[in-house]
Amino acid sequence: MDGFESNEGVILMAATNRPDVLDPALLRPGRFDRRVVVSRPDVRGREEILRVHTRKIPLADDVDLSVLARGTPGFSGADLANMVNEAALAAARQNRKAVLMYDFELAKDKVLMGVERKSMLLSDEEKKNTAYHEAGHALVAAKLPFSDPLHKVTIIPRGMALGVTMQLPIDDRHNYYKNYLETSIAILMGGRLAEEMFLDSMSTGAGNDIERATELARKMVCEWGMSDLGPLTFGKKEEQIFLGREIAQHRDYSEATAVKIDAEVQKLVKRGYDSAKDLLSANRDVLVRIALALIEREVLDASQIKMIIEGQELPKIVPPPKPDDGVQQVIKPDLQPGRAKGGERPAPA
Ligand code: ZN
């Protein structure tokens, strides 16, 4: 989830889930007259979806679907189904008879950040580099206003990334505001900056950050009218109607304007870079503490980052739940075969 794409998907009223293979001729006026916009589910919708998908799964007593629904803003129905499935698999892998909240947390991170690649070994050098890089993102995200709260920071490789700093919005977002986007650019810059400032090195690991920051800045200028060029859009996208897919971009502006656009994009990225740099310079010791904690623990959650920023000691590492945790709460006496005859039920607590 990159978070800056439209919140809404457009589907066709046709029995296909492969809109990319539709012949454009199908889309001529008169063929499909209705457009159905399917929004991502809101918090109540997510709770309902979770309820449906967990109907046949034994849940431990600590599982609270409303908490899960609140913790998954931006998840689509498919993401939620995927999360439930992964949680059930995680519990089964541990020979657990019921799915714990812990399993859901693991599954949520898997859906959010990709699958952990524990087999991929980082050299100490790479590990250190990744820890400082992610600490840079995390510290900027934690300190700058208008950012989404941190969810987790990890240096366990996931998908294509060596490390991940994950933020989660508090509520469902329908709009992005300029100050939020500016902060996002600064957060993206924080990673590379930390490498530069603390390790005196630059790695290719920041390539994706730089690309995303530039793309964000370009959208702010060209699509959302958020620069000194004013409320204009530049570049008309030729979208295949219905499909919402960008096919090509038409340049509808002059060479002179193109130069101005580039300057504005540069200005926005530079501004984010500068504010991240100021922040990291003023909090050097905090950044080092976050990076060292990451090297030691590999994962830090939001509360731990907060403790480090406040100068507190982190609590000891908690081991994951054991296989039979949660069983007792779930298999209730009157559900066990042969026990329903009465007389044997324990007194209610
Ligand atoms: Zn990064």
Side-chain angles (χ1 to χ4, degrees), residues 130 133-134 137 163-165 187-192 195 205-210 212:
T130 309
H133 180 103
E134 297 306 326
H137 286 313
V164 180
T165 298
I187 295 169
L188 286 167
M189 292 290 129
R192 158 61 69 81
E195 291 180 46
N208 182 252
D209 296 337
I210 295 170
R212 277 170 61 195

Side-chain angles (χ1 to χ4, degrees), residues 70-248:
R70 257 179 285 138
T72 46
F75 275 47
S76 66
D79 291 334
L80 293 168
N82 195 359
M83 179 177 88
V84 171
N85 198 26
E86 290 291 347
L89 283 175
R93 240 176 260 130
Q94 294 285 317
N95 286 323
R96 233 177 265 131
K97 295 198 178 80
V99 184
L100 298 171
M101 202 62 167
Y102 170 84
D103 299 314
F104 279 106
E105 283 298 326
L106 281 190
K108 176 174 139 185
D109 286 346
K110 211 167 180 178
V111 173
L112 269 177
M113 308 191 275
V115 182
E116 282 184 3
R117 293 168 67 192
K118 288 224 161 125
S119 60
M120 182 176 169
L121 288 181
L122 298 189
S123 67
D124 286 350
E125 182 72 27
E126 274 175 324
K127 209 170 160 182
K128 187 176 172 195
N129 209 78
T130 309
Y132 275 84
H133 180 103
E134 297 306 326
H137 286 313
L139 187 55
V140 178
K143 284 265 186 181
L144 278 191
F146 311 115
S147 71
D148 285 330
L150 278 172
H151 172 58
K152 239 163 226 182
V153 188
T154 149
I155 56 166
I156 300 172
R158 282 169 185 271
M160 300 288 283
L162 297 187
V164 180
T165 298
M166 190 76 220
Q167 298 165 263
L168 260 187
I170 305 174
D171 300 311
D172 300 304
R173 275 192 190 279
H174 301 104
N175 263 325
Y176 296 108
Y177 294 92
K178 191 181 175 192
N179 44 26
Y180 173 86
L181 297 167
E182 284 170 341
T183 294
S184 300
I185 293 177
I187 295 169
L188 286 167
M189 292 290 129
R192 158 61 69 81
L193 262 164
E195 291 180 46
E196 265 177 58
M197 292 169 65
F198 293 83
L199 304 175
D200 203 17
S201 72
M202 285 189 196
S203 74
T204 53
N208 182 252
D209 296 337
I210 295 170
E211 188 186 328
R212 277 170 61 195
T214 313
E215 191 190 334
L216 202 52
R218 191 164 286 279
K219 280 191 174 167
M220 289 171 74
V221 176
C222 295
E223 291 180 30
W224 302 325
M226 291 177 178
S227 75
D228 293 344
L229 298 185
L232 296 167
T233 60
F234 301 100
K236 207 176 269 161
K237 274 195 226 96
E238 193 176 293
E239 284 184 6
Q240 235 170 322
I241 189 165
F242 282 122
L243 303 187
R245 228 160 264 251
E246 291 171 25
I247 301 297

